[in-house]
Amino acid sequence: MIKCIASDMDGTLLNAYQKITDENKAAILKAQEQGVEFVVATGRSYAEAQFVLKEAEIECPVICVNGAEVRSKEGELISSNPLSKDLVREVAHILRDQGIYFEIYTNQGTYTDNEDKGISAIIDIFTSANPEAPMELIVSGAKERFEKGLVHVVDSYDHVFEKDDYQIYKFLAFSMNEKEQASGKEALKKVEGLAVSSSGYMNIEITSEQAQKGVALEAFASARGIEMSETMAIGDNENDLSMFARAGRAVAMGNASFEIQMECDVVTATNDESGVAQAILEVL
């Protein structure tokens, strides 16, 4: 019996319009009514996740920034796993040395030092999740992050790195140069204590090795007396693999790549076909 359901957001719970469909909402509410714990597990910051959840009037806990932060349905901080200052400096040095753009996710918001590249990075994520969506729709959604104040533009990251009251949760790195991106990813994977994954064609997501969706989901379930065999994880990309490896039932979206689908027990419908709803209703 499934007692806990974890769902990714982009390319999974959200359709091409970055919305939660009525079908997905109804299935989530039905699961909650039956006592099943529903939790969002996303690479987004808490603010970015809540922006969409509030619009759909869904209240649930959130595993955000790939597991670097976990929040209750009321928004209270349950746990956090930031990068150490030494790792922050090392990651920044590697990315700068490779000439790779990056933005940082912190306990006080998300920051970029280049708005245009920040928009390009999110366009990559949205395009990867919704390859058939109109480009004007994707660009509009990417720009909305800045228009709604979900990302802050700074001249330099140095003050964020140096101040103790800033905890660095994640680096979101992006490069249109495949060779450059591959070289950067290879260098980062050699650094002990890092989790290196991706949520788009051309991006790299870097967190603490303890800040992974699967690690956070396991701790979340354990705290509620739920066995991992009683959990279901739904996703579409590389940063969902740690959940798939631990969950009792791993579900890939129909829009996920063949490689991702091969790592799962079940393949559901696409995000534009309310695949999350289908997956939930199958286990209720």
Side-chain angles (χ1 to χ4, degrees), residues 146-268:
F146 294 88
E147 294 166 357
K148 300 293 185 181
L150 299 174
V151 181
H152 310 289
V153 182
V154 294
D155 293 329
S156 169
Y157 294 133
D158 291 343
H159 77 285
V160 180
F161 291 160
E162 292 167 6
K163 288 188 177 180
D164 291 336
D165 51 342
Y166 283 94
Q167 293 184 342
I168 312 300
Y169 288 152
K170 182 178 82 168
F171 285 76
L172 175 63
F174 173 79
S175 173
M176 288 294 290
N177 185 311
E178 290 187 26
K179 186 175 180 180
E180 184 179 82
Q181 188 219 35
S183 178
K185 203 168 187 178
E186 184 179 349
L188 289 164
K189 285 186 174 181
K190 292 177 182 178
V191 180
E192 192 171 337
L194 293 181
V196 182
S197 63
S198 176
S199 60
Y201 297 128
M202 303 303 294
N203 78 33
I204 312 170
E205 299 199 351
I206 307 110
T207 60
S208 161
E209 63 183 351
Q210 293 304 310
Q212 299 185 66
K213 292 184 182 183
V215 175
L217 176 59
E218 191 165 12
F220 179 87
S222 177
R224 287 153 183 76
I226 298 172
E227 300 289 336
M228 287 307 290
S229 60
E230 299 170 317
T231 66
M232 178 170 75
I234 315 169
D236 75 309
N237 222 312
E238 186 179 320
N239 62 344
D240 298 313
L241 290 174
S242 62
M243 289 200 301
F244 295 155
R246 292 170 171 82
R249 184 177 174 88
V251 182
M253 298 300 295
N255 49 283
S257 69
F258 176 74
E259 289 76 15
I260 295 296
Q261 292 181 6
M262 288 297 292
E263 297 295 324
C264 295
D265 304 305
V266 180
V267 177
T268 187

